[in-house]
Coordinates of all heavy atoms in Angstrom, one line a residue:
M8 N -7.4 13.9 -20.5 CA -6.8 13.2 -19.4 C -5.8 14.1 -18.7 O -5.0 14.7 -19.3 CB -6.0 12.0 -19.9 CG -6.9 10.9 -20.5 SD -7.3 9.6 -19.3 CE -5.7 9.0 -18.8
K9 N -6.0 14.2 -17.4 CA -5.0 15.0 -16.6 C -4.5 14.2 -15.4 O -5.3 13.5 -14.7 CB -5.6 16.3 -16.1 CG -5.6 17.3 -17.3 CD -5.5 18.7 -16.7 CE -5.0 19.7 -17.8 NZ -5.6 21.0 -17.8
D10 N -3.2 14.3 -15.2 CA -2.6 13.6 -14.1 C -2.8 14.4 -12.8 O -2.4 15.6 -12.7 CB -1.1 13.5 -14.4 CG -0.2 12.9 -13.4 OD1 -0.7 12.5 -12.3 OD2 1.0 12.8 -13.6
V11 N -3.4 13.9 -11.8 CA -3.7 14.6 -10.6 C -3.0 14.2 -9.3 O -3.0 14.9 -8.3 CB -5.2 14.7 -10.3 CG1 -6.0 15.5 -11.4 CG2 -5.9 13.3 -10.1
H12 N -2.4 13.0 -9.4 CA -1.8 12.5 -8.1 C -0.8 11.4 -8.4 O -1.0 10.5 -9.2 CB -2.9 11.9 -7.2 CG -2.3 11.3 -5.9 ND1 -1.7 12.1 -5.0 CD2 -2.3 10.1 -5.4 CE1 -1.3 11.3 -4.0 NE2 -1.7 10.1 -4.2
E13 N 0.4 11.5 -7.8 CA 1.4 10.5 -7.8 C 1.3 9.7 -6.5 O 1.5 10.3 -5.4 CB 2.8 11.0 -8.0 CG 3.8 9.9 -8.0 CD 5.3 10.4 -8.2 OE1 5.8 10.9 -7.2 OE2 5.8 10.3 -9.3
A14 N 0.9 8.4 -6.5 CA 0.7 7.7 -5.3 C 1.9 7.0 -4.8 O 2.9 6.8 -5.6 CB -0.4 6.6 -5.6
L15 N 1.9 6.7 -3.5 CA 3.1 6.0 -3.0 C 3.1 4.5 -3.4 O 4.2 3.9 -3.5 CB 3.0 6.0 -1.4 CG 3.1 7.3 -0.7 CD1 2.9 7.2 0.8 CD2 4.5 8.0 -1.1
N16 N 1.9 4.0 -3.7 CA 1.9 2.6 -4.1 C 0.5 2.4 -4.8 O -0.3 3.3 -4.8 CB 2.0 1.6 -2.9 CG 1.0 2.0 -1.8 OD1 -0.2 2.2 -2.0 ND2 1.6 2.2 -0.6
L17 N 0.4 1.2 -5.4 CA -0.8 0.9 -6.2 C -2.1 1.0 -5.3 O -3.2 1.4 -5.8 CB -0.6 -0.4 -6.8 CG -1.6 -0.8 -7.9 CD1 -1.5 0.2 -9.1 CD2 -1.4 -2.2 -8.5
R18 N -2.0 0.5 -4.1 CA -3.1 0.5 -3.2 C -3.6 1.9 -2.9 O -4.8 2.2 -3.0 CB -2.7 -0.2 -1.8 CG -3.9 -0.6 -1.0 CD -3.5 -1.7 -0.1 NE -2.6 -1.3 0.9 CZ -2.9 -0.8 2.1 NH1 -4.1 -0.6 2.4 NH2 -2.0 -0.5 3.0
E19 N -2.7 2.8 -2.7 CA -3.1 4.2 -2.5 C -3.7 4.8 -3.8 O -4.8 5.4 -3.7 CB -1.9 5.1 -2.1 CG -2.3 6.5 -1.8 CD -1.2 7.4 -1.5 OE1 -0.6 7.4 -0.4 OE2 -0.8 8.2 -2.4
A20 N -3.1 4.5 -4.9 CA -3.6 4.9 -6.2 C -5.1 4.4 -6.4 O -5.9 5.2 -6.8 CB -2.7 4.5 -7.3
N21 N -5.3 3.2 -6.1 CA -6.6 2.6 -6.3 C -7.6 3.3 -5.3 O -8.8 3.5 -5.7 CB -6.6 1.1 -6.1 CG -6.1 0.4 -7.3 OD1 -6.3 0.8 -8.4 ND2 -5.4 -0.7 -7.0
M22 N -7.2 3.5 -4.1 CA -8.1 4.2 -3.2 C -8.5 5.6 -3.6 O -9.6 6.0 -3.5 CB -7.5 4.2 -1.8 CG -7.5 2.9 -1.1 SD -7.1 2.9 0.7 CE -5.4 3.1 0.6
V23 N -7.5 6.3 -4.1 CA -7.7 7.7 -4.6 C -8.7 7.6 -5.8 O -9.6 8.4 -5.9 CB -6.4 8.4 -5.0 CG1 -6.6 9.7 -5.8 CG2 -5.6 8.7 -3.7
A24 N -8.4 6.7 -6.7 CA -9.3 6.6 -7.9 C -10.7 6.3 -7.5 O -11.7 6.9 -8.1 CB -8.7 5.6 -8.9
T25 N -10.9 5.3 -6.6 CA -12.2 4.9 -6.2 C -12.9 6.1 -5.5 O -14.1 6.4 -5.7 CB -12.1 3.7 -5.2 OG1 -11.5 2.7 -5.9 CG2 -13.5 3.3 -4.7
Y26 N -12.1 6.8 -4.7 CA -12.7 8.0 -4.0 C -13.2 9.1 -5.0 O -14.3 9.6 -4.9 CB -11.6 8.6 -3.1 CG -12.0 9.9 -2.4 CD1 -13.0 10.0 -1.4 CD2 -11.4 11.1 -2.8 CE1 -13.3 11.2 -0.8 CE2 -11.8 12.3 -2.3 CZ -12.7 12.4 -1.3 OH -13.1 13.5 -0.7
L27 N -12.4 9.3 -6.0 CA -12.8 10.3 -7.0 C -14.0 9.9 -7.7 O -15.0 10.7 -8.0 CB -11.7 10.5 -8.0 CG -10.5 11.3 -7.5 CD1 -9.4 11.4 -8.5 CD2 -10.9 12.8 -7.1
E28 N -14.1 8.6 -8.0 CA -15.3 8.1 -8.7 C -16.5 8.2 -7.8 O -17.6 8.5 -8.3 CB -15.1 6.7 -9.2 CG -14.0 6.7 -10.3 CD -13.8 5.5 -11.2 OE1 -14.3 4.4 -10.7 OE2 -13.2 5.6 -12.2
D29 N -16.3 8.0 -6.5 CA -17.4 8.2 -5.6 C -17.9 9.7 -5.6 O -19.1 10.0 -5.3 CB -17.0 7.9 -4.2 CG -16.9 6.4 -3.9 OD1 -17.4 5.6 -4.8 OD2 -16.3 6.0 -2.9
Q30 N -17.0 10.6 -6.0 CA -17.4 12.0 -6.0 C -17.9 12.4 -7.4 O -18.0 13.6 -7.7 CB -16.1 12.9 -5.7 CG -15.4 12.6 -4.4 CD -16.3 12.7 -3.2 OE1 -17.0 13.7 -3.0 NE2 -16.3 11.7 -2.3
G31 N -18.0 11.4 -8.3 CA -18.5 11.7 -9.6 C -17.5 12.1 -10.6 O -17.8 12.6 -11.7
I32 N -16.2 11.8 -10.3 CA -15.1 12.2 -11.3 C -14.6 10.9 -11.8 O -14.1 10.0 -11.1 CB -14.1 13.0 -10.5 CG1 -14.6 14.3 -10.0 CG2 -12.8 13.2 -11.4 CD1 -13.7 15.1 -9.2
L33 N -14.6 10.8 -13.1 CA -14.0 9.6 -13.7 C -12.5 9.6 -13.6 O -11.8 10.6 -14.0 CB -14.4 9.5 -15.2 CG -15.9 9.3 -15.5 CD1 -16.2 9.3 -17.0 CD2 -16.3 7.9 -14.9
A34 N -11.9 8.5 -13.0 CA -10.5 8.5 -12.8 C -9.9 7.1 -13.2 O -10.6 6.1 -13.3 CB -10.2 8.8 -11.3
D35 N -8.6 7.1 -13.4 CA -8.0 5.9 -13.8 C -6.6 5.9 -13.2 O -6.0 6.9 -13.0 CB -7.9 5.9 -15.4 CG -7.7 4.5 -15.9 OD1 -7.8 3.5 -15.1 OD2 -7.5 4.3 -17.1
V36 N -6.1 4.7 -13.0 CA -4.7 4.5 -12.4 C -3.8 4.1 -13.6 O -4.1 3.2 -14.3 CB -4.7 3.5 -11.3 CG1 -3.3 3.2 -10.9 CG2 -5.6 3.9 -10.1
R37 N -2.7 4.8 -13.7 CA -1.7 4.5 -14.7 C -0.3 4.4 -14.1 O 0.0 5.1 -13.2 CB -1.6 5.6 -15.8 CG -2.9 5.8 -16.6 CD -3.3 4.7 -17.4 NE -4.6 4.7 -17.9 CZ -5.0 5.2 -19.1 NH1 -4.2 5.7 -19.9 NH2 -6.3 5.2 -19.4
G38 N 0.5 3.4 -14.6 CA 1.8 3.3 -14.1 C 1.9 2.3 -12.9 O 0.9 1.7 -12.6
G39 N 3.1 2.1 -12.4 CA 3.2 1.2 -11.3 C 3.0 -0.3 -11.8 O 3.1 -0.6 -12.9
A40 N 2.7 -1.1 -10.8 CA 2.5 -2.5 -11.1 C 1.4 -2.8 -12.1 O 1.5 -3.7 -12.9 CB 2.3 -3.3 -9.8
Y41 N 0.3 -2.0 -12.0 CA -0.8 -2.2 -12.9 C -0.4 -2.1 -14.3 O -0.7 -2.9 -15.1 CB -1.9 -1.1 -12.6 CG -3.1 -1.2 -13.5 CD1 -4.1 -2.2 -13.3 CD2 -3.2 -0.3 -14.6 CE1 -5.2 -2.2 -14.1 CE2 -4.3 -0.4 -15.4 CZ -5.3 -1.4 -15.2 OH -6.4 -1.4 -16.0
Q42 N 0.4 -1.1 -14.6 CA 0.9 -0.9 -16.0 C 1.8 -2.1 -16.4 O 1.7 -2.5 -17.5 CB 1.7 0.4 -16.0 CG 1.8 1.0 -17.4 CD 0.4 1.4 -17.9 OE1 -0.2 2.2 -17.3 NE2 -0.1 0.8 -19.0
A43 N 2.6 -2.6 -15.5 CA 3.4 -3.7 -15.8 C 2.6 -4.9 -16.2 O 2.9 -5.7 -17.1 CB 4.3 -4.1 -14.7
V44 N 1.5 -5.1 -15.5 CA 0.6 -6.2 -15.8 C -0.1 -6.0 -17.2 O -0.2 -6.9 -18.0 CB -0.5 -6.3 -14.7 CG1 -1.6 -7.3 -15.1 CG2 0.1 -6.8 -13.4
V45 N -0.6 -4.8 -17.4 CA -1.3 -4.5 -18.6 C -0.3 -4.6 -19.8 O -0.7 -5.0 -20.9 CB -1.9 -3.1 -18.6 CG1 -2.5 -2.7 -19.9 CG2 -3.0 -3.1 -17.5
G46 N 1.0 -4.2 -19.6 CA 2.0 -4.3 -20.6 C 2.0 -3.2 -21.6 O 2.8 -3.2 -22.5
E47 N 1.2 -2.1 -21.4 CA 1.3 -0.9 -22.2 C 2.4 0.0 -21.7 O 2.8 -0.1 -20.5 CB 0.0 -0.1 -22.1 CG -1.2 -0.8 -22.6 CD -2.4 0.1 -22.3 OE1 -2.3 1.3 -22.5 OE2 -3.4 -0.4 -21.9
L48 N 2.9 0.8 -22.5 CA 3.9 1.9 -22.0 C 4.9 1.3 -21.1 O 5.1 1.8 -20.0 CB 3.1 3.0 -21.3 CG 2.0 3.7 -22.1 CD1 1.2 4.6 -21.3 CD2 2.6 4.5 -23.3
S49 N 5.6 0.2 -21.6 CA 6.5 -0.5 -20.7 C 7.7 0.4 -20.3 O 8.4 0.1 -19.3 CB 7.0 -1.7 -21.4 OG 7.6 -1.4 -22.6
N50 N 7.9 1.6 -21.0 CA 8.9 2.5 -20.6 C 8.7 3.1 -19.2 O 9.7 3.5 -18.6 CB 9.1 3.6 -21.7 CG 7.8 4.4 -21.9 OD1 6.8 3.8 -22.0 ND2 7.9 5.7 -21.9
I51 N 7.5 3.1 -18.7 CA 7.3 3.7 -17.4 C 7.1 2.6 -16.4 O 6.8 2.9 -15.2 CB 6.1 4.7 -17.4 CG1 4.8 4.0 -17.7 CG2 6.4 5.9 -18.2 CD1 3.6 4.9 -17.4
R52 N 7.3 1.3 -16.7 CA 7.3 0.2 -15.7 C 8.2 0.5 -14.6 O 9.4 0.9 -14.8 CB 7.6 -1.1 -16.4 CG 7.5 -2.3 -15.5 CD 7.8 -3.6 -16.3 NE 6.9 -3.7 -17.4 CZ 7.0 -4.7 -18.3 NH1 8.0 -5.5 -18.2 NH2 6.1 -4.8 -19.3
G53 N 7.7 0.3 -13.4 CA 8.6 0.5 -12.2 C 8.5 1.9 -11.6 O 9.0 2.1 -10.6
T54 N 7.8 2.8 -12.3 CA 7.6 4.1 -11.8 C 6.4 4.0 -10.8 O 5.6 3.1 -10.8 CB 7.3 5.1 -12.9 OG1 6.1 4.7 -13.6 CG2 8.5 5.2 -13.8
L55 N 6.2 5.1 -10.1 CA 5.1 5.1 -9.1 C 3.8 5.2 -9.9 O 3.7 5.9 -11.0 CB 5.2 6.3 -8.2 CG 6.3 6.2 -7.2 CD1 6.5 7.5 -6.5 CD2 6.1 5.1 -6.2
P56 N 2.7 4.6 -9.4 CA 1.4 4.7 -10.1 C 0.9 6.1 -9.9 O 1.1 6.8 -8.9 CB 0.5 3.7 -9.3 CG 1.2 3.5 -8.0 CD 2.7 3.7 -8.2
R57 N 0.2 6.5 -10.9 CA -0.4 7.9 -11.0 C -1.9 7.8 -11.2 O -2.3 6.9 -11.9 CB 0.3 8.7 -12.0 CG 1.8 8.7 -11.9 CD 2.4 9.7 -12.9 NE 2.2 11.1 -12.4 CZ 3.1 11.7 -11.7 NH1 4.2 11.2 -11.3 NH2 2.8 13.0 -11.2
V58 N -2.6 8.8 -10.6 CA -4.0 8.8 -10.9 C -4.3 9.9 -11.8 O -3.8 11.0 -11.7 CB -4.8 9.1 -9.5 CG1 -6.3 9.1 -9.7 CG2 -4.4 8.0 -8.5
W59 N -5.1 9.6 -12.9 CA -5.5 10.5 -13.9 C -7.0 10.7 -13.9 O -7.8 9.8 -13.5 CB -5.2 10.0 -15.3 CG -3.7 9.8 -15.5 CD1 -2.9 8.9 -14.9 CD2 -2.9 10.6 -16.4 NE1 -1.6 9.1 -15.4 CE2 -1.6 10.1 -16.3 CE3 -3.1 11.7 -17.3 CZ2 -0.5 10.6 -17.0 CZ3 -2.1 12.2 -18.0 CH2 -0.8 11.7 -17.9
V60 N -7.5 11.9 -14.2 CA -8.9 12.1 -14.4 C -9.1 12.1 -15.9 O -8.3 12.6 -16.7 CB -9.4 13.4 -13.7 CG1 -9.4 13.3 -12.2 CG2 -8.7 14.6 -14.2
L61 N -10.3 11.6 -16.3 CA -10.5 11.4 -17.7 C -11.0 12.7 -18.4 O -10.7 13.0 -19.5 CB -11.6 10.3 -18.0 CG -11.2 9.0 -17.4 CD1 -12.2 7.9 -17.9 CD2 -9.8 8.5 -17.6
E62 N -11.7 13.6 -17.6 CA -12.2 14.9 -18.1 C -11.3 16.0 -17.6 O -11.2 16.2 -16.3 CB -13.6 15.1 -17.6 CG -14.6 14.1 -18.1 CD -14.8 14.0 -19.6 OE1 -14.6 15.1 -20.2 OE2 -15.2 13.0 -20.1
D63 N -10.6 16.7 -18.5 CA -9.7 17.8 -18.0 C -10.4 18.8 -17.1 O -9.8 19.3 -16.2 CB -9.1 18.5 -19.3 CG -8.1 17.7 -20.0 OD1 -7.9 16.5 -19.6 OD2 -7.5 18.2 -21.0
G64 N -11.7 19.0 -17.4 CA -12.4 20.0 -16.6 C -12.6 19.6 -15.1 O -12.9 20.4 -14.3
D65 N -12.4 18.3 -14.8 CA -12.5 17.8 -13.4 C -11.2 18.0 -12.7 O -11.1 17.7 -11.5 CB -12.9 16.3 -13.4 CG -14.3 16.1 -13.8 OD1 -15.2 17.0 -13.6 OD2 -14.6 15.0 -14.2
A66 N -10.1 18.3 -13.4 CA -8.8 18.2 -12.8 C -8.6 19.1 -11.5 O -8.0 18.6 -10.5 CB -7.7 18.5 -13.8
E67 N -9.1 20.3 -11.6 CA -8.8 21.2 -10.5 C -9.6 20.8 -9.3 O -9.0 20.7 -8.2 CB -9.3 22.6 -10.9 CG -8.7 23.7 -10.2 CD -9.1 25.1 -10.7 OE1 -8.9 25.3 -11.9 OE2 -9.6 25.9 -9.9
R68 N -10.8 20.4 -9.4 CA -11.6 19.9 -8.3 C -11.0 18.6 -7.8 O -10.9 18.4 -6.6 CB -13.1 19.6 -8.8 CG -14.0 19.1 -7.7 CD -15.5 19.2 -8.1 NE -16.2 18.3 -7.2 CZ -16.8 17.2 -7.6 NH1 -16.8 16.8 -8.9 NH2 -17.4 16.4 -6.7
A69 N -10.6 17.7 -8.7 CA -10.0 16.4 -8.3 C -8.7 16.7 -7.5 O -8.5 16.0 -6.4 CB -9.7 15.6 -9.5
A70 N -7.9 17.6 -7.9 CA -6.7 17.9 -7.2 C -6.9 18.3 -5.7 O -6.2 17.9 -4.8 CB -5.9 19.0 -7.9
R71 N -8.0 19.2 -5.5 CA -8.3 19.6 -4.2 C -8.8 18.4 -3.3 O -8.5 18.2 -2.2 CB -9.4 20.7 -4.2 CG -8.9 22.1 -4.6 CD -9.9 23.1 -4.2 NE -11.2 22.9 -4.8 CZ -11.6 23.4 -6.0 NH1 -10.7 24.1 -6.7 NH2 -12.7 23.2 -6.5
L72 N -9.7 17.6 -3.9 CA -10.3 16.5 -3.2 C -9.2 15.5 -2.8 O -9.1 14.9 -1.7 CB -11.3 15.7 -4.1 CG -12.7 16.5 -4.3 CD1 -13.4 15.8 -5.4 CD2 -13.5 16.4 -3.0
V73 N -8.3 15.2 -3.8 CA -7.2 14.3 -3.6 C -6.3 14.8 -2.4 O -5.8 14.0 -1.6 CB -6.4 14.1 -4.9 CG1 -5.1 13.3 -4.6 CG2 -7.2 13.3 -5.9
A74 N -6.0 16.1 -2.4 CA -5.1 16.6 -1.4 C -5.6 16.3 0.0 O -4.9 15.8 0.9 CB -4.9 18.1 -1.6
T75 N -6.9 16.5 0.2 CA -7.6 16.3 1.5 C -7.6 14.8 1.8 O -7.3 14.3 2.9 CB -9.0 16.8 1.5 OG1 -9.0 18.2 1.1 CG2 -9.6 16.7 2.9
F76 N -8.0 14.0 0.8 CA -8.1 12.6 1.0 C -6.8 11.9 1.3 O -6.7 11.1 2.2 CB -8.7 12.0 -0.3 CG -8.9 10.5 -0.2 CD1 -9.9 10.0 0.6 CD2 -8.1 9.6 -1.0 CE1 -10.1 8.6 0.6 CE2 -8.3 8.2 -0.9 CZ -9.3 7.7 -0.1
V77 N -5.7 12.3 0.6 CA -4.4 11.7 0.8 C -3.9 12.1 2.2 O -3.2 11.3 2.8 CB -3.5 12.1 -0.4 CG1 -2.1 11.6 -0.1 CG2 -4.0 11.4 -1.6
A78 N -4.1 13.4 2.6 CA -3.7 13.8 3.9 C -4.2 12.9 5.0 O -3.5 12.5 5.9 CB -4.0 15.3 4.1
S79 N -5.5 12.6 4.9 CA -6.2 11.8 5.9 C -5.7 10.3 5.8 O -5.5 9.6 6.8 CB -7.7 11.8 5.8 OG -8.2 11.2 4.6
L80 N -5.4 9.9 4.5 CA -4.9 8.6 4.3 C -3.6 8.3 4.9 O -3.3 7.3 5.4 CB -4.8 8.4 2.8 CG -4.9 7.0 2.1 CD1 -6.3 6.4 2.4 CD2 -4.8 7.2 0.6
R81 N -2.7 9.4 4.8 CA -1.3 9.2 5.3 C -1.2 9.7 6.7 O -0.1 9.6 7.3 CB -0.4 10.1 4.4 CG -0.3 9.5 3.0 CD 0.6 10.4 2.1 NE 0.6 9.8 0.7 CZ 1.2 10.4 -0.3 NH1 1.9 11.6 -0.1 NH2 1.3 9.9 -1.5
A82 N -2.2 10.2 7.3 CA -2.2 10.5 8.7 C -1.9 9.3 9.6 O -2.2 8.2 9.2 CB -3.5 11.1 9.2
T83 N -1.2 9.5 10.7 CA -0.9 8.4 11.5 C -2.1 7.6 12.0 O -3.0 8.1 12.6 CB -0.1 8.9 12.8 OG1 0.9 9.7 12.4 CG2 0.5 7.7 13.6
P84 N -2.2 6.4 11.5 CA -3.4 5.6 11.9 C -3.3 5.1 13.3 O -2.3 4.9 13.9 CB -3.4 4.4 10.9 CG -1.9 4.2 10.6 CD -1.3 5.6 10.7
E85 N -4.5 4.9 13.9 CA -4.6 4.4 15.3 C -5.0 2.9 15.1 O -5.9 2.6 14.3 CB -5.6 5.1 16.1 CG -5.2 6.5 16.5 CD -6.2 7.2 17.3 OE1 -7.0 6.5 18.0 OE2 -6.2 8.4 17.3
G86 N -4.3 2.0 15.8 CA -4.7 0.6 15.8 C -4.0 -0.1 14.7 O -3.0 0.4 14.1
E87 N -4.5 -1.2 14.4 CA -3.8 -2.1 13.4 C -4.6 -2.2 12.1 O -5.8 -2.0 12.1 CB -3.8 -3.6 14.0 CG -3.0 -3.7 15.3 CD -1.5 -3.5 15.0 OE1 -1.0 -4.0 14.0 OE2 -0.9 -2.8 15.8
P88 N -3.9 -2.4 11.0 CA -4.6 -2.6 9.8 C -5.5 -3.8 9.9 O -5.3 -4.7 10.7 CB -3.5 -2.8 8.7 CG -2.3 -2.3 9.4 CD -2.5 -2.4 10.9
W89 N -6.6 -3.8 9.1 CA -7.5 -4.9 9.2 C -7.7 -5.5 7.8 O -7.5 -4.8 6.8 CB -8.9 -4.6 9.8 CG -9.6 -3.4 9.1 CD1 -9.3 -2.1 9.3 CD2 -10.7 -3.5 8.2 NE1 -10.1 -1.3 8.6 CE2 -11.0 -2.1 7.9 CE3 -11.4 -4.5 7.7 CZ2 -12.1 -1.8 7.0 CZ3 -12.5 -4.2 6.8 CH2 -12.8 -2.9 6.5
V90 N -8.0 -6.8 7.7 CA -8.2 -7.5 6.4 C -9.7 -7.7 6.2 O -10.3 -8.4 7.0 CB -7.4 -8.8 6.4 CG1 -7.6 -9.5 5.0 CG2 -5.9 -8.5 6.6
C91 N -10.1 -7.2 5.1 CA -11.5 -7.4 4.7 C -11.8 -8.9 4.2 O -10.8 -9.6 3.8 CB -11.8 -6.5 3.5 SG -13.5 -6.6 2.9
A92 N -13.0 -9.3 4.2 CA -13.4 -10.6 3.7 C -13.0 -10.8 2.2 O -12.7 -11.9 1.8 CB -14.9 -10.8 3.9
C93 N -12.9 -9.7 1.5 CA -12.5 -9.8 0.1 C -11.0 -10.0 -0.1 O -10.5 -10.1 -1.2 CB -13.0 -8.6 -0.7 SG -12.1 -7.1 -0.4
G94 N -10.2 -9.9 1.1 CA -8.8 -10.1 1.0 C -8.0 -8.8 1.0 O -6.8 -8.8 1.1
E95 N -8.6 -7.6 0.9 CA -8.0 -6.3 0.9 C -7.5 -6.0 2.3 O -8.3 -6.1 3.3 CB -8.9 -5.3 0.3 CG -8.3 -3.9 0.0 CD -7.2 -4.0 -1.0 OE1 -7.3 -4.9 -1.9 OE2 -6.2 -3.3 -0.9
T96 N -6.3 -5.5 2.4 CA -5.8 -5.0 3.7 C -6.1 -3.5 3.8 O -5.8 -2.7 2.9 CB -4.3 -5.2 3.9 OG1 -4.1 -6.6 3.8 CG2 -3.8 -4.8 5.2
L97 N -6.7 -3.1 4.9 CA -7.1 -1.7 5.1 C -6.5 -1.0 6.3 O -6.3 -1.7 7.3 CB -8.6 -1.6 5.1 CG -9.3 -2.0 3.8 CD1 -10.2 -3.2 4.0 CD2 -9.9 -0.9 3.1
E98 N -6.2 0.2 6.2 CA -5.6 1.0 7.3 C -6.8 1.1 8.4 O -7.9 1.2 8.0 CB -5.1 2.3 6.9 CG -4.0 2.2 5.9 CD -2.8 1.4 6.4 OE1 -2.4 1.6 7.6 OE2 -2.2 0.7 5.6
P99 N -6.4 1.2 9.7 CA -7.4 1.2 10.7 C -8.4 2.3 10.7 O -9.5 2.2 11.2 CB -6.5 1.2 12.0 CG -5.2 1.7 11.6 CD -5.0 1.2 10.2
Q100 N -8.0 3.5 10.1 CA -8.9 4.6 10.1 C -10.1 4.4 9.2 O -11.1 5.1 9.3 CB -8.2 5.9 9.8 CG -7.8 6.1 8.4 CD -6.3 5.6 8.2 OE1 -5.9 4.6 8.8 NE2 -5.6 6.2 7.3
F101 N -10.1 3.4 8.3 CA -11.2 3.1 7.4 C -12.2 2.2 8.1 O -11.9 1.2 8.6 CB -10.7 2.5 6.1 CG -9.8 3.5 5.3 CD1 -8.5 3.4 5.3 CD2 -10.4 4.6 4.7 CE1 -7.7 4.3 4.6 CE2 -9.6 5.5 4.0 CZ -8.3 5.3 4.0
Q102 N -13.5 2.7 8.0 CA -14.6 2.0 8.6 C -15.2 1.0 7.6 O -16.1 0.3 8.0 CB -15.6 3.0 9.2 CG -15.0 3.8 10.3 CD -14.3 3.0 11.4 OE1 -14.9 2.1 12.0 NE2 -13.1 3.3 11.7
S103 N -14.8 1.1 6.4 CA -15.4 0.2 5.4 C -14.3 0.0 4.3 O -13.4 0.7 4.2 CB -16.7 0.7 4.8 OG -16.4 1.9 4.1
C104 N -14.5 -1.1 3.6 CA -13.5 -1.5 2.6 C -13.7 -0.6 1.3 O -14.8 -0.5 0.8 CB -13.7 -3.0 2.2 SG -12.7 -3.6 0.9
W105 N -12.6 0.0 0.8 CA -12.8 0.8 -0.4 C -13.1 0.0 -1.6 O -13.6 0.5 -2.6 CB -11.5 1.6 -0.6 CG -10.3 0.8 -0.9 CD1 -9.4 0.4 0.1 CD2 -9.8 0.2 -2.1 NE1 -8.4 -0.4 -0.6 CE2 -8.7 -0.5 -1.9 CE3 -10.4 0.3 -3.4 CZ2 -8.0 -1.2 -2.9 CZ3 -9.7 -0.4 -4.4 CH2 -8.5 -1.1 -4.2
K106 N -12.7 -1.3 -1.5 CA -12.8 -2.1 -2.7 C -14.3 -2.7 -2.9 O -14.8 -2.6 -3.9 CB -11.8 -3.2 -2.6 CG -11.6 -4.0 -3.9 CD -10.4 -4.9 -3.8 CE -10.1 -5.7 -5.0 NZ -9.1 -6.7 -4.8
C107 N -14.8 -3.3 -1.8 CA -16.1 -3.9 -1.9 C -17.1 -3.3 -1.0 O -18.2 -3.7 -0.9 CB -15.9 -5.4 -1.6 SG -15.7 -5.8 0.2
Q108 N -16.7 -2.2 -0.3 CA -17.7 -1.4 0.6 C -18.2 -2.2 1.8 O -19.1 -1.8 2.5 CB -18.9 -0.9 -0.2 CG -18.6 0.4 -1.0 CD -17.8 0.2 -2.2 OE1 -18.1 -0.7 -3.0 NE2 -16.7 0.9 -2.4
A109 N -17.6 -3.4 2.1 CA -18.0 -4.1 3.3 C -17.6 -3.3 4.5 O -16.5 -2.7 4.5 CB -17.3 -5.5 3.3
P110 N -18.4 -3.3 5.6 CA -18.0 -2.6 6.8 C -16.9 -3.3 7.5 O -16.7 -4.5 7.4 CB -19.3 -2.5 7.6 CG -20.1 -3.7 7.1 CD -19.7 -3.9 5.7
K111 N -16.1 -2.5 8.3 CA -15.0 -3.0 9.1 C -15.7 -4.0 10.2 O -16.6 -3.6 10.8 CB -14.3 -1.9 9.8 CG -13.1 -2.3 10.7 CD -12.5 -1.0 11.2 CE -11.3 -1.3 12.1 NZ -10.7 -0.1 12.6
P112 N -15.2 -5.2 10.3 CA -15.7 -6.1 11.3 C -15.4 -5.6 12.7 O -14.4 -5.0 13.0 CB -15.1 -7.4 11.1 CG -13.9 -7.1 10.2 CD -14.1 -5.8 9.6
V113 N -16.3 -5.8 13.7 CA -16.1 -5.3 15.0 C -15.5 -6.4 15.9 O -15.6 -7.6 15.6 CB -17.4 -4.8 15.7 CG1 -17.8 -3.4 15.1 CG2 -18.6 -5.8 15.5
Ligands
LIG222 ZN1 -13.5 -5.7 0.8

């Protein structure tokens, strides 16, 4: 397990982890609210969520992918965030839901 990204919030952490898995890299989110819910490692409760890769050999590639992905994620979005049918709120630059893959409604 290697720590590849400290996210601003759980939503970003989940998006990064989902993105890595789409690239064939097994990833997991630790810390933040998720950890508080799970109840493990309560000493880090309240800290920012972090994204870990399960295979150490993927860490270098994951770090490069994450850097690019997060830069686009944090770029100034145009328009308003939209809410998917599944209830997830998405930034306007996303054309589909990261959670359920539903396309952005027109
Ligand atoms: Zn959705």
